[in-house]
Amino acid sequence: MEALNQEEIEYCKEVEQSLRKRFKKKIWSKFTKAINTYDLVKPGDKIAVCISGGKDSMLMAKCFQELKIHNKFDFEVKFLVMDPGYNPENRRQIEENARKLNIPITVFETDIFESVFTIEKSPCYLCARMRRGHLYHFAKDMGCNKIALGHHYDDVIETILMGMLYSGQIQTMMPKLHSTNFEGMELIRPLYLVREDDIKAWRDYNDLRFIQCACKFTEDCASCDNEENLSKRLEIKELISELKKTNRFVEGNIFKSVENVNLNTIVAYKKDGVRHNFLDTYDEAE
């Protein structure tokens, strides 16, 4: 990676300082709280911090660099960028941001966008699955035992509501998961407790510009949100915003709802692929 000049070095220091001071409470403290609460980073870990080029993953990378400065035990981080077929403008934007923020990235290239471009049914779902698989594969080749993704608090509560309203199920985005296809690998989400508005505030305060959409279906949107405008997730964002007008605790209540599940009041549930019904043990309670 090309060395920074003095002006760029000073700018990078200011970005890092913003995490330690201005955004300490809303970003840094919540980042470390998630790591401690969910036991996301352990001694001896080698973590592939996966950078998509958006605000969330770039912030996560800076937080991991900060964590390395203050770490209380030994662990390693690698900053992994998988290029699934970005156009040249988006690729340059990612590389320039990484240089500007002094993040030493390793880039792997794939043809995922081309592979799913002609798929008519659920191309986004297939793309996400393929990207996840490639990330695990590349991370494992680098000697890593974990991949870190940049999903945040708002992603979590939106996923909960989307599952209920559009899929008829109660589920959440977990703070960490064991990989079912890559033995010994885990997925972690260190921004689990960080609010999206605070990430945007950090981005804007530091005058940073990240890509938002880079897929083949919306090639022209290095700075737009066309794909989001068409998504169910945006509907959920708007619903939560409306509910918050009359209940300021609604977001926290949605988040806590999957921590306070009372199985005595659940008609049926699944565990390890096996369906359980309240009738299975109903008569035993007499």
Side-chain angles (χ1 to χ4, degrees), residues 158 161-162 165-166 228-242:
E158 289 160 16
L161 280 190
M162 286 179 73
L165 300 180
Y166 296 120
E228 186 179 29
N229 285 335
L230 299 174
S231 73
K232 294 297 183 187
R233 190 168 290 272
L234 183 59
E235 293 181 21
I236 293 296
K237 283 179 182 290
E238 292 172 348
L239 174 60
I240 294 173
S241 180
E242 282 298 309

Side-chain angles (χ1 to χ4, degrees), residues 41-52:
V41 180
K42 299 180 180 180
D45 277 346
K46 189 170 183 179
I47 303 166
V49 178
C50 301
I51 299 173
S52 66

Side-chain angles (χ1 to χ4, degrees), residues 256-269:
K256 293 175 183 175
S257 68
V258 291
E259 295 181 343
N260 297 318
V261 178
N262 184 347
L263 291 181
N264 290 325
T265 65
I266 298 297
V267 175
Y269 66 95

